């Protein structure tokens, strides 16, 4: 993840030799905002969430509880969309287009591969197409390009920051940079839709993922988690969750939730006490239980400050991994969701990861603060991506073995779509040096869409999955 205030890439020039200045408006806006905020010092921001009067397991957006019953012979497909600003969103959109164009026949009925996707997990830039498809389905192919991919989102935030009432508001505890972004997303992209609308849409399960600033824990927007803090997710705008998921540190401020834990009669699930009692049986499950316990103590955690989800899980794979771990295993997870054992388990991972800044290795000069921060965060994310992909493939194959019987074998499919799969060095370099921003040229968006479609279509793992489903 490589953000720059001046929008430049590498040594300040693209592979075609032109200087990159597109990020300058956002940089100017942020400098202006920082100046206006300086006199106020550190003040708390107004929380964006609403208190829940009574925790009810049948209430609210609960993706896991909403699992559809699927007959044996179907595939359980989990689509994970990485972070990376508009670069990641456009790349993922191309994958959506190819999934939509891939026709299969199931029980004598014509379907597309996109129809077979059960869960979509989005992080940062990837949360935009994930949330949009969850809300509006195939409408994404009609207007998402104009409403987001080819919209100058950075300029939109900049112009809102310059409005007189916002300039004044930014000097108070009641408005932040991410609040401005949230309002833009809510009104201009997501039609003011809330999580109640996402639940009513009846599409695939959607996970929008952010990071708890103080603990580093991943936090997904679903009512199971919001029950812990006694907050009603139904009334929260989807745009606010996406703003939290894409709140890049320093450039954008956190989205703040108020912790109302202990006021709604919530009782934690049995697995939490069991995991705390036996910490060595399943360390990952124990860590999840400790996260629950931290949230249940508002005297020590009165507010939850959420930032970019890429910091805790840039690929969006951990909602699935953590859920299976919390349930106690893949068999138990199937019992919780009520899903039938499928013939196929599949991860389709869209990874818009970029390469490190080449300028650092070409100069003896000490890197600037911005270059240093970008390189450190980028190197951590690249390393974590690698480890997560290895872990996910190992777990996927283990889950398939544990679900298999002699009469009903289950096959695992790991499909990864990333720029590293490009054989042409110049083309690969072009995509891996695109900046992480919310403003790309129309030509770059079109190229990202095309390469997303092409890489998925040419993936042997994907074609193997399609062939077996046919």
């Amino acid at each position: 993840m490589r953000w720059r205030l001046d929008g430049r890439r590498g040594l300040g020039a693209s592979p075609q030799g032109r200087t990159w200045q597109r990020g300058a408006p956002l940089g100017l806006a942020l400098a202006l905002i920082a100046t206006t905020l300086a006199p106020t010092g550190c003040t708390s921001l107004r929380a964006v969430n609403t208190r829940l009067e009574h925790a009810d397991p049948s209430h609210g957006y609960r993706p896991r509880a909403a699992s559809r019953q699927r007959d044996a012979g179907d595939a359980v497909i989990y689509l994970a969309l990485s972070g990376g600003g508009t670069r990641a969103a456009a790349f993922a959109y191309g994958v959506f287009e190819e999934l939509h164009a891939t026709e299969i026949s199931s029980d004598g009925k014509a379907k597309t591969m996109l129809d077979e996707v059960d869960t979509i997990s989005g992080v940062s830039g990837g949360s935009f197409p994930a949330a949009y498809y969850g809300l509006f389905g195939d409408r994404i192919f009609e207007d998402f390009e104009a409403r987001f991919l080819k919209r100058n989102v950075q300029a939109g935030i900049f112009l809102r920051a310059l409005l007189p009432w916002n300039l004044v508001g930014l000097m108070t505890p009641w408005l932040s940079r991410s609040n401005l972004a949230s309002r833009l997303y809510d009104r201009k992209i997501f039609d003011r839709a809330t999580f109640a609308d996402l639940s009513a849409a009846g599409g695939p399960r959607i996970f929008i993922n952010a990071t708890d600033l103080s603990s580093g824990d991943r936090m997904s927007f679903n009512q199971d988690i919001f029950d812990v803090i006694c907050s009603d997710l139904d009334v929260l705008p989807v745009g606010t969750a996406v703003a939290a998921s894409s709140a890049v540190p320093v450039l954008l401020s956190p989205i703040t939730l108020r912790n109302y834990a202990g006021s709604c009669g919530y009782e934690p699930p049995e697995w939490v006490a069991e995991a705390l009692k036996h910490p060595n049986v399943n360390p990952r499950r124990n860590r999840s239980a400790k996260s629950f316990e931290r949230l249940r103590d508002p005297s020590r955690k009165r507010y939850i400050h959420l930032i970019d989800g890429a910091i805790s899980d840039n690929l969006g794979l951990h909602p699935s991994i953590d859920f299976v771990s919390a349930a106690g295993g893949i068999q138990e997870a199937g019992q919780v969701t009520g899903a039938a054992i499928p013939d196929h388990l599949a991860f389709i991972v869209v990874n818009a990861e970029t390469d490190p800044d080449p300028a650092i290795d070409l100069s003896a000069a000490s890197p600037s603060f911005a270059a240093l921060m970008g390189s450190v965060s980028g190197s951590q994310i690249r390393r974590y991506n690698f480890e997560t992909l290895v872990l996910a493939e190992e777990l996927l194959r283990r889950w398939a073995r544990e679900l298999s019987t002699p009469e009903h074998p289950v096959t695992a499919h790991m499909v990864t779509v990333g720029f590293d799969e490009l054989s042409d060095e110049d083309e690969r370099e072009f995509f891996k040096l695109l900046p992480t921003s919310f403003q790309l040229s129309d030509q770059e968006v079109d190229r990202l869409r095309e390469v997303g479609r092409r890489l998925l279509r040419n993936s042997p793992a994907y074609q193997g999955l399609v062939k077996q489903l046919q």
Side-chain angles (χ1 to χ4, degrees), residues 64 78-81 121 123 209 218 313-323 347-349 385 388-393 399 414:
R64 296 300 179 190
Y78 183 102
L79 177 61
L81 311 179
S121 176
V123 175
N209 306 288
R218 176 186 56 80
D313 174 23
N314 187 52
L315 296 177
L317 282 166
H318 276 274
S320 177
I321 295 171
D322 293 345
F323 170 69
F347 279 150
I348 300 177
V349 185
N385 281 354
T388 300
L389 286 170
V390 171
L391 172 65
E393 185 164 10
W399 296 342
M414 185 73 179

Side-chain angles (χ1 to χ4, degrees), residues 6-269:
D6 65 358
R8 292 186 177 86
R9 158 178 88 184
L11 294 172
S14 72
Q16 292 76 24
R18 55 188 175 85
T19 301
W20 287 66
Q21 297 287 350
R22 291 194 308 271
L26 181 60
L28 291 173
L30 297 174
L32 174 63
I33 292 168
T35 301
T36 61
L37 282 176
T40 69
C42 295
T43 54
S44 61
L45 296 169
R46 182 170 58 188
V48 299
N49 57 319
T50 302
R51 180 176 172 177
L52 180 69
E53 293 299 324
H54 178 68
D56 180 356
S58 65
H59 165 82
Y61 185 66
R62 303 175 190 271
R64 296 300 179 190
S67 292
R68 295 171 293 176
Q69 291 284 351
R70 302 179 69 82
D71 297 330
D74 281 340
V76 172
I77 300 178
Y78 183 102
L79 177 61
L81 311 179
S82 83
T86 300
R87 180 189 70 247
F91 191 44
Y93 183 68
V95 169
F96 272 83
E97 290 182 302
E98 186 61 27
L99 288 168
H100 185 62
T102 306
E103 295 184 351
I104 61 173
S105 177
S106 178
D107 298 328
K109 298 179 181 179
K111 292 184 177 181
T112 71
M113 283 295 291
L114 189 54
D115 294 329
E116 289 293 294
V117 171
D118 303 276
T119 301
I120 305 175
S121 176
V123 175
S124 195
S127 67
F128 287 87
Y132 203 89
Y133 184 76
L135 283 166
F136 307 121
D138 287 351
R139 177 180 141 185
I140 193 172
F141 304 113
E142 300 172 8
D143 57 9
F144 184 69
E145 180 182 355
R147 302 193 78 175
F148 178 71
L149 294 180
K150 294 185 177 179
R151 176 191 290 272
N152 190 337
V153 175
Q154 292 184 180
I157 299 173
F158 170 67
L159 293 174
R160 279 164 175 74
L162 291 179
L163 294 173
W165 48 89
N166 285 336
L167 283 173
V168 174
L170 287 166
M171 298 171 64
T172 74
W174 312 119
L175 187 65
S176 73
R177 303 187 293 278
S178 284
N179 290 146
L180 294 179
S182 173
R183 292 177 183 179
L184 172 66
Y185 306 159
D186 182 40
R187 298 171 185 175
K188 300 297 184 179
I189 300 173
F190 296 108
D191 292 344
R192 301 178 187 271
T194 66
F195 276 84
D197 298 313
L198 184 59
S199 182
R205 300 179 289 277
I206 304 296
F207 288 91
I208 300 172
N209 306 288
T211 302
D212 183 332
L213 176 61
S214 65
S215 68
D217 291 336
R218 176 186 56 80
M219 185 165 182
S220 295
F221 284 80
N222 67 79
Q223 190 59 53
D224 289 326
I225 295 297
F226 270 57
D227 277 350
V228 183
I229 62 172
C230 291
S231 183
D232 188 357
L233 183 62
D234 267 4
V235 300
L236 188 77
V238 171
T240 299
V242 172
S245 180
S246 56
V248 178
V250 182
L251 291 180
L252 292 169
S253 55
I255 291 289
T256 301
L257 304 179
R258 176 68 184 269
N259 190 353
Y260 302 102
S263 64
C264 63
Y266 168 77
E267 292 294 335

